[in-house]
Amino acid sequence: MANLTITVDDEALKAARIKALAQGTSVNALLGDYLSAYAGVHNRHKEAARRVLHLADRCRSRRGDARWTRDELHERG
């Protein structure tokens, strides 16, 4: 993670801190979320998840009626 230094009006920062505290978060978290959304980071994650689900739907392998226990999967017992 990178650190970012910004200049902001004292009153604006004080009001933002109070509002963030009331929402159970921090100004730092809010700004981080905003920058991620602004840069489209969330959209890239959603698109990657959509592609994985699409590939899973196209996958022809199935387990059928087979069931395994945790120990069988880990070759225990």
Side-chain angles (χ1 to χ4, degrees), residues 68-76:
W68 299 278
T69 65
R70 178 181 168 90
D71 287 336
E72 290 170 334
L73 289 173
H74 294 280
E75 297 178 5
R76 298 177 188 153

Side-chain angles (χ1 to χ4, degrees), residues 40-61:
V41 171
H42 297 299
N43 292 337
R44 289 193 300 260
H45 291 170
K46 286 180 185 177
E47 177 59 21
R50 186 198 64 75
R51 286 193 314 253
V52 166
L53 292 174
H54 176 72
L55 288 172
D57 285 342
R58 291 181 44 210
C59 181
R60 296 180 190 259
S61 67

Side-chain angles (χ1 to χ4, degrees), residues 2-28:
N3 287 324
L4 173 67
T5 301
I6 64 169
T7 302
V8 64
D9 177 75
D10 290 338
E11 288 300 315
L13 180 58
K14 182 178 178 180
R17 284 180 172 157
I18 291 168
K19 190 170 183 177
L21 183 62
Q23 294 175 349
T25 189
S26 67
V27 171
N28 189 59

